[in-house]
Amino acid sequence: MPQTIFQTIGYLRVSTADQDIEKNKADILKLSNDRHLGQVTFVEETASGRVS
């Protein structure tokens, strides 16, 4: 029977300087640990809500 391989990816996006990407990352890591999802690969994006 073939083995299924899962990957956990955390998408982090902030649009203002007031938002804390590190806090968001910590929250995702806690959830991943609580649910035994393994290592998380993060994709980070910083974008302005004012620029189209």
Side-chain angles (χ1 to χ4, degrees):
M1 183 170 181
Q3 185 178 38
T4 303
I5 299 174
F6 293 97
Q7 183 176 11
T8 304
I9 299 173
Y11 176 70
L12 301 166
R13 181 181 185 277
V14 294
S15 59
T16 68
D18 295 335
Q19 294 175 325
D20 185 2
I21 202 164
E22 292 304 317
K23 181 188 179 314
N24 294 344
K25 189 181 284 188
D27 291 342
I28 290 171
L29 287 172
K30 181 179 180 331
L31 177 70
S32 176
N33 287 332
D34 290 348
R35 298 197 178 174
H36 308 286
L37 299 176
Q39 183 177 353
V40 179
T41 301
F42 287 100
V43 176
E44 298 180 19
E45 180 179 17
T46 303
S48 171
R50 293 179 184 227
V51 178
S52 59

mmCIF file of all heavy atoms in Angstrom:
data_model
loop_
_atom_site.group_PDB
_atom_site.id
_atom_site.type_symbol
_atom_site.label_atom_id
_atom_site.label_comp_id
_atom_site.label_asym_id
_atom_site.label_seq_id
_atom_site.Cartn_x
_atom_site.Cartn_y
_atom_site.Cartn_z
ATOM 1 N N MET A 1 0.844 -1.179 0.000
ATOM 2 C CA MET A 1 0.000 0.000 0.000
ATOM 3 C C MET A 1 0.891 1.245 0.000
ATOM 4 O O MET A 1 1.789 1.369 0.825
ATOM 5 C CB MET A 1 -0.888 -0.032 1.242
ATOM 6 C CG MET A 1 -1.851 1.069 1.334
ATOM 7 S SD MET A 1 -2.971 0.663 2.709
ATOM 8 C CE MET A 1 -4.029 1.979 2.667
ATOM 9 N N PRO A 2 0.663 2.186 -0.926
ATOM 10 C CA PRO A 2 1.505 3.384 -0.985
ATOM 11 C C PRO A 2 1.320 4.249 0.256
ATOM 12 O O PRO A 2 0.225 4.345 0.812
ATOM 13 C CB PRO A 2 1.026 4.117 -2.227
ATOM 14 C CG PRO A 2 -0.190 3.427 -2.708
ATOM 15 C CD PRO A 2 -0.340 2.148 -1.966
ATOM 16 N N GLN A 3 2.411 4.881 0.670
ATOM 17 C CA GLN A 3 2.379 5.749 1.848
ATOM 18 C C GLN A 3 2.083 7.185 1.412
ATOM 19 O O GLN A 3 2.659 7.688 0.444
ATOM 20 C CB GLN A 3 3.714 5.690 2.568
ATOM 21 C CG GLN A 3 3.735 6.456 3.865
ATOM 22 C CD GLN A 3 5.075 6.330 4.556
ATOM 23 O OE1 GLN A 3 6.109 6.324 3.909
ATOM 24 N NE2 GLN A 3 5.051 6.212 5.861
ATOM 25 N N THR A 4 1.187 7.837 2.113
ATOM 26 C CA THR A 4 0.854 9.227 1.833
ATOM 27 C C THR A 4 1.799 10.130 2.615
ATOM 28 O O THR A 4 2.002 9.937 3.804
ATOM 29 C CB THR A 4 -0.602 9.535 2.239
ATOM 30 O OG1 THR A 4 -1.464 8.635 1.545
ATOM 31 C CG2 THR A 4 -0.977 10.953 1.896
ATOM 32 N N ILE A 5 2.356 11.114 1.946
ATOM 33 C CA ILE A 5 3.259 12.063 2.593
ATOM 34 C C ILE A 5 2.549 13.409 2.687
ATOM 35 O O ILE A 5 2.053 13.935 1.689
ATOM 36 C CB ILE A 5 4.572 12.204 1.796
ATOM 37 C CG1 ILE A 5 5.276 10.853 1.726
ATOM 38 C CG2 ILE A 5 5.456 13.275 2.417
ATOM 39 C CD1 ILE A 5 6.496 10.835 0.848
ATOM 40 N N PHE A 6 2.495 13.942 3.887
ATOM 41 C CA PHE A 6 1.840 15.224 4.126
ATOM 42 C C PHE A 6 2.888 16.298 4.358
ATOM 43 O O PHE A 6 3.949 16.031 4.899
ATOM 44 C CB PHE A 6 0.936 15.147 5.361
ATOM 45 C CG PHE A 6 -0.248 14.253 5.177
ATOM 46 C CD1 PHE A 6 -0.232 12.951 5.626
ATOM 47 C CD2 PHE A 6 -1.387 14.717 4.538
ATOM 48 C CE1 PHE A 6 -1.320 12.118 5.455
ATOM 49 C CE2 PHE A 6 -2.482 13.900 4.359
ATOM 50 C CZ PHE A 6 -2.448 12.595 4.822
ATOM 51 N N GLN A 7 2.562 17.508 3.955
ATOM 52 C CA GLN A 7 3.412 18.656 4.210
ATOM 53 C C GLN A 7 2.552 19.750 4.829
ATOM 54 O O GLN A 7 1.441 20.008 4.359
ATOM 55 C CB GLN A 7 4.037 19.154 2.913
ATOM 56 C CG GLN A 7 4.993 20.297 3.110
ATOM 57 C CD GLN A 7 5.672 20.717 1.810
ATOM 58 O OE1 GLN A 7 5.292 20.295 0.728
ATOM 59 N NE2 GLN A 7 6.670 21.551 1.930
ATOM 60 N N THR A 8 3.055 20.377 5.866
ATOM 61 C CA THR A 8 2.328 21.457 6.519
ATOM 62 C C THR A 8 2.956 22.781 6.106
ATOM 63 O O THR A 8 4.149 22.990 6.287
ATOM 64 C CB THR A 8 2.371 21.300 8.049
ATOM 65 O OG1 THR A 8 1.848 20.021 8.399
ATOM 66 C CG2 THR A 8 1.568 22.394 8.735
ATOM 67 N N ILE A 9 2.128 23.647 5.535
ATOM 68 C CA ILE A 9 2.600 24.952 5.076
ATOM 69 C C ILE A 9 1.817 26.034 5.803
ATOM 70 O O ILE A 9 0.587 26.000 5.845
ATOM 71 C CB ILE A 9 2.412 25.107 3.553
ATOM 72 C CG1 ILE A 9 3.222 24.035 2.825
ATOM 73 C CG2 ILE A 9 2.820 26.506 3.094
ATOM 74 C CD1 ILE A 9 2.987 23.972 1.349
ATOM 75 N N GLY A 10 2.526 26.985 6.387
ATOM 76 C CA GLY A 10 1.899 28.126 7.045
ATOM 77 C C GLY A 10 2.075 29.361 6.178
ATOM 78 O O GLY A 10 3.196 29.716 5.816
ATOM 79 N N TYR A 11 0.971 29.977 5.801
ATOM 80 C CA TYR A 11 1.006 31.188 4.972
ATOM 81 C C TYR A 11 0.844 32.399 5.885
ATOM 82 O O TYR A 11 -0.159 32.527 6.593
ATOM 83 C CB TYR A 11 -0.110 31.147 3.926
ATOM 84 C CG TYR A 11 -0.220 32.395 3.096
ATOM 85 C CD1 TYR A 11 0.762 32.710 2.163
ATOM 86 C CD2 TYR A 11 -1.290 33.255 3.238
ATOM 87 C CE1 TYR A 11 0.664 33.858 1.385
ATOM 88 C CE2 TYR A 11 -1.403 34.401 2.469
ATOM 89 C CZ TYR A 11 -0.415 34.693 1.547
ATOM 90 O OH TYR A 11 -0.514 35.827 0.786
ATOM 91 N N LEU A 12 1.827 33.261 5.889
ATOM 92 C CA LEU A 12 1.822 34.446 6.739
ATOM 93 C C LEU A 12 1.810 35.685 5.864
ATOM 94 O O LEU A 12 2.689 35.878 5.025
ATOM 95 C CB LEU A 12 3.067 34.470 7.631
ATOM 96 C CG LEU A 12 3.233 33.277 8.558
ATOM 97 C CD1 LEU A 12 4.643 33.236 9.115
ATOM 98 C CD2 LEU A 12 2.225 33.345 9.674
ATOM 99 N N ARG A 13 0.818 36.536 6.075
ATOM 100 C CA ARG A 13 0.725 37.777 5.301
ATOM 101 C C ARG A 13 0.357 38.912 6.238
ATOM 102 O O ARG A 13 -0.602 38.813 6.997
ATOM 103 C CB ARG A 13 -0.342 37.663 4.214
ATOM 104 C CG ARG A 13 -0.456 38.919 3.370
ATOM 105 C CD ARG A 13 -1.552 38.750 2.314
ATOM 106 N NE ARG A 13 -1.613 39.890 1.426
ATOM 107 C CZ ARG A 13 -2.262 41.016 1.688
ATOM 108 N NH1 ARG A 13 -2.901 41.161 2.822
ATOM 109 N NH2 ARG A 13 -2.273 42.003 0.820
ATOM 110 N N VAL A 14 1.137 39.948 6.195
ATOM 111 C CA VAL A 14 0.819 41.162 6.953
ATOM 112 C C VAL A 14 0.742 42.323 5.974
ATOM 113 O O VAL A 14 1.447 42.360 4.967
ATOM 114 C CB VAL A 14 1.854 41.453 8.066
ATOM 115 C CG1 VAL A 14 1.805 40.385 9.136
ATOM 116 C CG2 VAL A 14 3.245 41.589 7.518
ATOM 117 N N SER A 15 -0.140 43.249 6.270
ATOM 118 C CA SER A 15 -0.309 44.383 5.365
ATOM 119 C C SER A 15 -0.036 45.725 6.042
ATOM 120 O O SER A 15 -0.051 46.749 5.380
ATOM 121 C CB SER A 15 -1.711 44.373 4.762
ATOM 122 O OG SER A 15 -2.681 44.428 5.778
ATOM 123 N N THR A 16 0.211 45.695 7.339
ATOM 124 C CA THR A 16 0.553 46.937 8.035
ATOM 125 C C THR A 16 1.725 46.684 8.969
ATOM 126 O O THR A 16 1.983 45.549 9.376
ATOM 127 C CB THR A 16 -0.623 47.486 8.870
ATOM 128 O OG1 THR A 16 -0.873 46.593 9.957
ATOM 129 C CG2 THR A 16 -1.886 47.657 8.041
ATOM 130 N N ALA A 17 2.407 47.758 9.329
ATOM 131 C CA ALA A 17 3.541 47.643 10.251
ATOM 132 C C ALA A 17 3.081 47.236 11.651
ATOM 133 O O ALA A 17 3.868 46.732 12.441
ATOM 134 C CB ALA A 17 4.299 48.963 10.293
ATOM 135 N N ASP A 18 1.799 47.454 11.963
ATOM 136 C CA ASP A 18 1.270 47.129 13.288
ATOM 137 C C ASP A 18 1.070 45.626 13.481
ATOM 138 O O ASP A 18 0.955 45.164 14.608
ATOM 139 C CB ASP A 18 -0.063 47.833 13.529
ATOM 140 C CG ASP A 18 0.088 49.344 13.564
ATOM 141 O OD1 ASP A 18 1.195 49.827 13.870
ATOM 142 O OD2 ASP A 18 -0.903 50.036 13.284
ATOM 143 N N GLN A 19 0.994 44.880 12.397
ATOM 144 C CA GLN A 19 0.765 43.447 12.510
ATOM 145 C C GLN A 19 2.083 42.739 12.810
ATOM 146 O O GLN A 19 3.136 43.115 12.304
ATOM 147 C CB GLN A 19 0.142 42.894 11.226
ATOM 148 C CG GLN A 19 -1.244 43.441 10.990
ATOM 149 C CD GLN A 19 -1.824 42.999 9.656
ATOM 150 O OE1 GLN A 19 -1.109 42.865 8.679
ATOM 151 N NE2 GLN A 19 -3.121 42.786 9.640
ATOM 152 N N ASP A 20 2.034 41.696 13.635
ATOM 153 C CA ASP A 20 3.228 41.006 14.110
ATOM 154 C C ASP A 20 3.328 39.622 13.474
ATOM 155 O O ASP A 20 2.629 38.695 13.887
ATOM 156 C CB ASP A 20 3.180 40.911 15.628
ATOM 157 C CG ASP A 20 4.428 40.313 16.226
ATOM 158 O OD1 ASP A 20 5.372 39.985 15.471
ATOM 159 O OD2 ASP A 20 4.474 40.163 17.457
ATOM 160 N N ILE A 21 4.192 39.490 12.488
ATOM 161 C CA ILE A 21 4.335 38.220 11.781
ATOM 162 C C ILE A 21 4.900 37.136 12.703
ATOM 163 O O ILE A 21 4.564 35.961 12.570
ATOM 164 C CB ILE A 21 5.180 38.390 10.498
ATOM 165 C CG1 ILE A 21 4.868 37.262 9.514
ATOM 166 C CG2 ILE A 21 6.658 38.458 10.789
ATOM 167 C CD1 ILE A 21 5.325 37.528 8.113
ATOM 168 N N GLU A 22 5.740 37.515 13.667
ATOM 169 C CA GLU A 22 6.324 36.526 14.582
ATOM 170 C C GLU A 22 5.264 35.934 15.511
ATOM 171 O O GLU A 22 5.300 34.748 15.825
ATOM 172 C CB GLU A 22 7.473 37.137 15.379
ATOM 173 C CG GLU A 22 8.688 37.475 14.518
ATOM 174 C CD GLU A 22 9.235 36.286 13.729
ATOM 175 O OE1 GLU A 22 9.333 35.176 14.293
ATOM 176 O OE2 GLU A 22 9.580 36.468 12.551
ATOM 177 N N LYS A 23 4.310 36.739 15.960
ATOM 178 C CA LYS A 23 3.224 36.217 16.790
ATOM 179 C C LYS A 23 2.367 35.248 15.980
ATOM 180 O O LYS A 23 1.990 34.185 16.454
ATOM 181 C CB LYS A 23 2.349 37.330 17.349
ATOM 182 C CG LYS A 23 1.237 36.763 18.242
ATOM 183 C CD LYS A 23 0.240 37.811 18.644
ATOM 184 C CE LYS A 23 -0.881 37.259 19.494
ATOM 185 N NZ LYS A 23 -1.485 36.028 19.038
ATOM 186 N N ASN A 24 2.074 35.623 14.730
ATOM 187 C CA ASN A 24 1.294 34.733 13.870
ATOM 188 C C ASN A 24 2.025 33.417 13.655
ATOM 189 O O ASN A 24 1.423 32.343 13.672
ATOM 190 C CB ASN A 24 1.019 35.400 12.522
ATOM 191 C CG ASN A 24 0.111 36.608 12.634
ATOM 192 O OD1 ASN A 24 -0.556 36.796 13.641
ATOM 193 N ND2 ASN A 24 0.095 37.434 11.610
ATOM 194 N N LYS A 25 3.330 33.485 13.448
ATOM 195 C CA LYS A 25 4.135 32.283 13.246
ATOM 196 C C LYS A 25 4.089 31.403 14.502
ATOM 197 O O LYS A 25 3.931 30.184 14.401
ATOM 198 C CB LYS A 25 5.576 32.671 12.927
ATOM 199 C CG LYS A 25 6.437 31.510 12.493
ATOM 200 C CD LYS A 25 7.864 31.936 12.215
ATOM 201 C CE LYS A 25 7.970 32.657 10.903
ATOM 202 N NZ LYS A 25 9.382 32.907 10.517
ATOM 203 N N ALA A 26 4.207 32.012 15.676
ATOM 204 C CA ALA A 26 4.153 31.257 16.927
ATOM 205 C C ALA A 26 2.795 30.574 17.104
ATOM 206 O O ALA A 26 2.727 29.421 17.554
ATOM 207 C CB ALA A 26 4.447 32.177 18.110
ATOM 208 N N ASP A 27 1.724 31.260 16.736
ATOM 209 C CA ASP A 27 0.379 30.664 16.837
ATOM 210 C C ASP A 27 0.240 29.453 15.915
ATOM 211 O O ASP A 27 -0.339 28.427 16.301
ATOM 212 C CB ASP A 27 -0.696 31.697 16.499
ATOM 213 C CG ASP A 27 -0.824 32.795 17.550
ATOM 214 O OD1 ASP A 27 -0.344 32.602 18.688
ATOM 215 O OD2 ASP A 27 -1.414 33.841 17.226
ATOM 216 N N ILE A 28 0.771 29.557 14.712
ATOM 217 C CA ILE A 28 0.703 28.437 13.768
ATOM 218 C C ILE A 28 1.543 27.264 14.274
ATOM 219 O O ILE A 28 1.130 26.106 14.193
ATOM 220 C CB ILE A 28 1.146 28.884 12.361
ATOM 221 C CG1 ILE A 28 0.093 29.823 11.771
ATOM 222 C CG2 ILE A 28 1.376 27.679 11.452
ATOM 223 C CD1 ILE A 28 0.515 30.494 10.481
ATOM 224 N N LEU A 29 2.727 27.545 14.810
ATOM 225 C CA LEU A 29 3.573 26.479 15.345
ATOM 226 C C LEU A 29 2.901 25.773 16.519
ATOM 227 O O LEU A 29 2.983 24.547 16.648
ATOM 228 C CB LEU A 29 4.935 27.035 15.765
ATOM 229 C CG LEU A 29 5.869 27.397 14.624
ATOM 230 C CD1 LEU A 29 7.099 28.117 15.154
ATOM 231 C CD2 LEU A 29 6.264 26.161 13.830
ATOM 232 N N LYS A 30 2.221 26.522 17.375
ATOM 233 C CA LYS A 30 1.501 25.909 18.498
ATOM 234 C C LYS A 30 0.402 24.986 17.984
ATOM 235 O O LYS A 30 0.262 23.853 18.445
ATOM 236 C CB LYS A 30 0.917 26.969 19.422
ATOM 237 C CG LYS A 30 0.172 26.357 20.608
ATOM 238 C CD LYS A 30 -0.387 27.392 21.537
ATOM 239 C CE LYS A 30 -1.121 26.802 22.727
ATOM 240 N NZ LYS A 30 -1.760 25.534 22.589
ATOM 241 N N LEU A 31 -0.376 25.459 17.022
ATOM 242 C CA LEU A 31 -1.436 24.635 16.448
ATOM 243 C C LEU A 31 -0.855 23.374 15.814
ATOM 244 O O LEU A 31 -1.375 22.268 16.004
ATOM 245 C CB LEU A 31 -2.219 25.434 15.400
ATOM 246 C CG LEU A 31 -3.315 24.660 14.677
ATOM 247 C CD1 LEU A 31 -4.469 24.359 15.623
ATOM 248 C CD2 LEU A 31 -3.804 25.427 13.471
ATOM 249 N N SER A 32 0.240 23.529 15.088
ATOM 250 C CA SER A 32 0.886 22.387 14.450
ATOM 251 C C SER A 32 1.358 21.370 15.493
ATOM 252 O O SER A 32 1.181 20.160 15.317
ATOM 253 C CB SER A 32 2.071 22.861 13.606
ATOM 254 O OG SER A 32 2.749 21.765 13.058
ATOM 255 N N ASN A 33 1.938 21.853 16.575
ATOM 256 C CA ASN A 33 2.383 20.956 17.647
ATOM 257 C C ASN A 33 1.205 20.288 18.336
ATOM 258 O O ASN A 33 1.243 19.081 18.609
ATOM 259 C CB ASN A 33 3.230 21.716 18.663
ATOM 260 C CG ASN A 33 4.595 22.049 18.130
ATOM 261 O OD1 ASN A 33 5.137 21.356 17.273
ATOM 262 N ND2 ASN A 33 5.172 23.129 18.621
ATOM 263 N N ASP A 34 0.162 21.051 18.610
ATOM 264 C CA ASP A 34 -1.020 20.491 19.282
ATOM 265 C C ASP A 34 -1.673 19.390 18.461
ATOM 266 O O ASP A 34 -2.213 18.429 19.002
ATOM 267 C CB ASP A 34 -2.061 21.586 19.561
ATOM 268 C CG ASP A 34 -1.616 22.573 20.630
ATOM 269 O OD1 ASP A 34 -0.606 22.311 21.323
ATOM 270 O OD2 ASP A 34 -2.283 23.628 20.761
ATOM 271 N N ARG A 35 -1.623 19.523 17.142
ATOM 272 C CA ARG A 35 -2.285 18.551 16.255
ATOM 273 C C ARG A 35 -1.312 17.560 15.614
ATOM 274 O O ARG A 35 -1.682 16.816 14.717
ATOM 275 C CB ARG A 35 -3.061 19.292 15.178
ATOM 276 C CG ARG A 35 -4.159 20.140 15.817
ATOM 277 C CD ARG A 35 -5.173 20.551 14.848
ATOM 278 N NE ARG A 35 -6.211 21.325 15.532
ATOM 279 C CZ ARG A 35 -7.188 21.922 14.919
ATOM 280 N NH1 ARG A 35 -7.289 21.840 13.615
ATOM 281 N NH2 ARG A 35 -8.084 22.611 15.597
ATOM 282 N N HIS A 36 -0.055 17.603 16.068
ATOM 283 C CA HIS A 36 0.979 16.672 15.594
ATOM 284 C C HIS A 36 1.111 16.703 14.068
ATOM 285 O O HIS A 36 1.128 15.667 13.402
ATOM 286 C CB HIS A 36 0.692 15.246 16.082
ATOM 287 C CG HIS A 36 0.476 15.164 17.554
ATOM 288 N ND1 HIS A 36 1.506 15.267 18.467
ATOM 289 C CD2 HIS A 36 -0.656 15.030 18.286
ATOM 290 C CE1 HIS A 36 1.026 15.181 19.691
ATOM 291 N NE2 HIS A 36 -0.293 15.042 19.606
ATOM 292 N N LEU A 37 1.209 17.915 13.511
ATOM 293 C CA LEU A 37 1.291 18.080 12.066
ATOM 294 C C LEU A 37 2.724 18.069 11.542
ATOM 295 O O LEU A 37 2.949 18.157 10.345
ATOM 296 C CB LEU A 37 0.600 19.387 11.644
ATOM 297 C CG LEU A 37 -0.886 19.479 11.973
ATOM 298 C CD1 LEU A 37 -1.432 20.843 11.592
ATOM 299 C CD2 LEU A 37 -1.670 18.367 11.285
ATOM 300 N N GLY A 38 3.698 18.000 12.422
ATOM 301 C CA GLY A 38 5.087 17.948 11.988
ATOM 302 C C GLY A 38 5.656 19.316 11.692
ATOM 303 O O GLY A 38 5.112 20.347 12.069
ATOM 304 N N GLN A 39 6.778 19.292 10.973
ATOM 305 C CA GLN A 39 7.487 20.530 10.639
ATOM 306 C C GLN A 39 6.637 21.410 9.735
ATOM 307 O O GLN A 39 5.974 20.927 8.826
ATOM 308 C CB GLN A 39 8.802 20.198 9.946
ATOM 309 C CG GLN A 39 9.614 21.417 9.631
ATOM 310 C CD GLN A 39 10.964 21.064 9.012
ATOM 311 O OE1 GLN A 39 11.325 19.898 8.937
ATOM 312 N NE2 GLN A 39 11.665 22.061 8.564
ATOM 313 N N VAL A 40 6.695 22.699 9.994
ATOM 314 C CA VAL A 40 5.937 23.672 9.204
ATOM 315 C C VAL A 40 6.901 24.435 8.297
ATOM 316 O O VAL A 40 7.936 24.917 8.748
ATOM 317 C CB VAL A 40 5.188 24.674 10.115
ATOM 318 C CG1 VAL A 40 4.433 25.694 9.283
ATOM 319 C CG2 VAL A 40 4.262 23.955 11.064
ATOM 320 N N THR A 41 6.551 24.523 7.029
ATOM 321 C CA THR A 41 7.264 25.368 6.088
ATOM 322 C C THR A 41 6.453 26.651 5.945
ATOM 323 O O THR A 41 5.262 26.599 5.663
ATOM 324 C CB THR A 41 7.382 24.679 4.708
ATOM 325 O OG1 THR A 41 8.066 23.442 4.874
ATOM 326 C CG2 THR A 41 8.128 25.560 3.726
ATOM 327 N N PHE A 42 7.114 27.792 6.186
ATOM 328 C CA PHE A 42 6.404 29.063 6.142
ATOM 329 C C PHE A 42 6.618 29.788 4.819
ATOM 330 O O PHE A 42 7.712 29.801 4.276
ATOM 331 C CB PHE A 42 6.850 29.983 7.283
ATOM 332 C CG PHE A 42 6.335 29.547 8.621
ATOM 333 C CD1 PHE A 42 7.139 28.846 9.494
ATOM 334 C CD2 PHE A 42 5.038 29.833 8.997
ATOM 335 C CE1 PHE A 42 6.657 28.440 10.728
ATOM 336 C CE2 PHE A 42 4.550 29.429 10.221
ATOM 337 C CZ PHE A 42 5.363 28.736 11.085
ATOM 338 N N VAL A 43 5.545 30.393 4.336
ATOM 339 C CA VAL A 43 5.581 31.306 3.205
ATOM 340 C C VAL A 43 5.166 32.655 3.772
ATOM 341 O O VAL A 43 4.095 32.777 4.359
ATOM 342 C CB VAL A 43 4.595 30.866 2.088
ATOM 343 C CG1 VAL A 43 4.573 31.883 0.964
ATOM 344 C CG2 VAL A 43 4.944 29.478 1.584
ATOM 345 N N GLU A 44 6.037 33.650 3.656
ATOM 346 C CA GLU A 44 5.766 34.964 4.232
ATOM 347 C C GLU A 44 5.584 36.002 3.128
ATOM 348 O O GLU A 44 6.325 36.022 2.155
ATOM 349 C CB GLU A 44 6.913 35.391 5.144
ATOM 350 C CG GLU A 44 7.122 34.464 6.317
ATOM 351 C CD GLU A 44 8.264 34.895 7.219
ATOM 352 O OE1 GLU A 44 8.663 36.075 7.157
ATOM 353 O OE2 GLU A 44 8.744 34.048 7.985
ATOM 354 N N GLU A 45 4.588 36.849 3.324
ATOM 355 C CA GLU A 45 4.319 37.915 2.361
ATOM 356 C C GLU A 45 3.981 39.180 3.125
ATOM 357 O O GLU A 45 3.198 39.174 4.060
ATOM 358 C CB GLU A 45 3.149 37.516 1.458
ATOM 359 C CG GLU A 45 2.809 38.556 0.434
ATOM 360 C CD GLU A 45 1.649 38.126 -0.462
ATOM 361 O OE1 GLU A 45 0.916 37.193 -0.117
ATOM 362 O OE2 GLU A 45 1.508 38.763 -1.500
ATOM 363 N N THR A 46 4.589 40.265 2.710
ATOM 364 C CA THR A 46 4.268 41.579 3.263
ATOM 365 C C THR A 46 3.754 42.414 2.106
ATOM 366 O O THR A 46 4.432 42.582 1.098
ATOM 367 C CB THR A 46 5.509 42.242 3.882
ATOM 368 O OG1 THR A 46 6.044 41.373 4.870
ATOM 369 C CG2 THR A 46 5.155 43.564 4.521
ATOM 370 N N ALA A 47 2.536 42.900 2.248
ATOM 371 C CA ALA A 47 1.922 43.680 1.175
ATOM 372 C C ALA A 47 1.151 44.839 1.768
ATOM 373 O O ALA A 47 0.642 44.746 2.884
ATOM 374 C CB ALA A 47 0.996 42.808 0.359
ATOM 375 N N SER A 48 1.053 45.873 1.024
ATOM 376 C CA SER A 48 0.277 47.025 1.453
ATOM 377 C C SER A 48 -1.146 46.893 0.959
ATOM 378 O O SER A 48 -1.381 46.539 -0.202
ATOM 379 C CB SER A 48 0.895 48.314 0.902
ATOM 380 O OG SER A 48 0.036 49.391 1.157
ATOM 381 N N GLY A 49 -2.110 47.177 1.829
ATOM 382 C CA GLY A 49 -3.507 47.150 1.419
ATOM 383 C C GLY A 49 -3.878 48.341 0.549
ATOM 384 O O GLY A 49 -4.916 48.366 -0.062
ATOM 385 N N ARG A 50 -2.985 49.314 0.476
ATOM 386 C CA ARG A 50 -3.273 50.522 -0.296
ATOM 387 C C ARG A 50 -2.788 50.423 -1.736
ATOM 388 O O ARG A 50 -3.192 51.193 -2.572
ATOM 389 C CB ARG A 50 -2.613 51.731 0.361
ATOM 390 C CG ARG A 50 -3.231 52.043 1.695
ATOM 391 C CD ARG A 50 -2.532 53.217 2.316
ATOM 392 N NE ARG A 50 -3.062 53.460 3.634
ATOM 393 C CZ ARG A 50 -3.401 54.636 4.071
ATOM 394 N NH1 ARG A 50 -3.254 55.698 3.312
ATOM 395 N NH2 ARG A 50 -3.884 54.783 5.275
ATOM 396 N N VAL A 51 -1.871 49.506 -1.991
ATOM 397 C CA VAL A 51 -1.309 49.382 -3.336
ATOM 398 C C VAL A 51 -1.998 48.229 -4.048
ATOM 399 O O VAL A 51 -2.059 47.127 -3.534
ATOM 400 C CB VAL A 51 0.215 49.135 -3.271
ATOM 401 C CG1 VAL A 51 0.787 48.950 -4.662
ATOM 402 C CG2 VAL A 51 0.910 50.259 -2.542
ATOM 403 N N SER A 52 -2.510 48.469 -5.239
ATOM 404 C CA SER A 52 -3.174 47.395 -5.974
ATOM 405 C C SER A 52 -2.177 46.574 -6.772
ATOM 406 O O SER A 52 -1.092 46.984 -7.052
ATOM 407 C CB SER A 52 -4.228 47.974 -6.900
ATOM 408 O OG SER A 52 -3.652 48.865 -7.792
#
